[in-house]
Amino acid sequence: MRRALASLMAAGLMLAACDRPQEPGSEEGQAVVARTSESELPAWLSPTDGTDPARWLAGREVGHSLPAGAEPVRALQEALTEAKAGFIEDPRMIANRTAQLGQMLAEIGKTERYALLLTGFSTVAARRGRHKSLYGEMCQHYFNTRARGVDHAAALALLAERFAPGLGTGESP
């Protein structure tokens, strides 16, 4: 009888603990779990998101999720790898900024491929040599230039002059 009573009391304590509201701050030290579905694309990649930035960006560009090995995903993986060498921001932030720039350009009727933006900006950043650039700053200058009616190639040339002035074609920093 004592054993049965002790078991009931223990079970009651465990159930009571389940109903107890969580105390503030008790989440500290717990693991963060990425909540990204394979079929849903979040609006933005958060710092704790485990989604591949290239796959997310490719999906954002076409409007739906793509398989990991799809050609647009591979192209953006290469472009993000190249961008990582020239910019301070990490690939997740570069992907977010690229999607943001893509939206802004679309709103003014100047839709551009994300890989084209990334490779163009990486080429400009590479002219600076070992001095990394700020991707977000470059995006803003590019948008402002495109909004004034300048085409893609001319906008990149203006960015190159702004971010690596004095370097002619073929010169190294």
Side-chain angles (χ1 to χ4, degrees), residues 21-94:
Q22 195 168 6
E23 295 175 18
S26 64
E27 297 128 25
E28 291 180 33
Q30 292 182 357
V32 176
V33 178
R35 293 184 290 257
T36 302
S37 164
E38 286 295 311
S39 62
E40 295 178 23
L41 293 169
W44 304 107
L45 293 176
S46 70
T48 59
D49 199 322
T51 303
D52 171 27
R55 185 172 178 205
W56 174 81
L57 191 56
R60 284 287 306 261
E61 187 168 26
V62 299
H64 58 84
S65 294
L66 292 171
E71 175 53 34
V73 175
R74 288 194 314 269
L76 284 168
Q77 284 170 333
E78 290 174 18
L80 282 169
T81 298
E82 186 180 345
K84 185 179 175 184
F87 296 101
I88 293 170
E89 296 92 338
D90 67 3
R92 178 196 57 82
M93 184 55 75
I94 291 171

Side-chain angles (χ1 to χ4, degrees), residues 10-21:
L13 289 174
M14 284 192 270
L15 288 175
C18 291
D19 291 337
R20 187 176 52 199

Side-chain angles (χ1 to χ4, degrees), residues 5 39 48 75 86 102 119 148:
L5 185 56
S39 62
T48 59
T119 56
R148 290 194 321 260

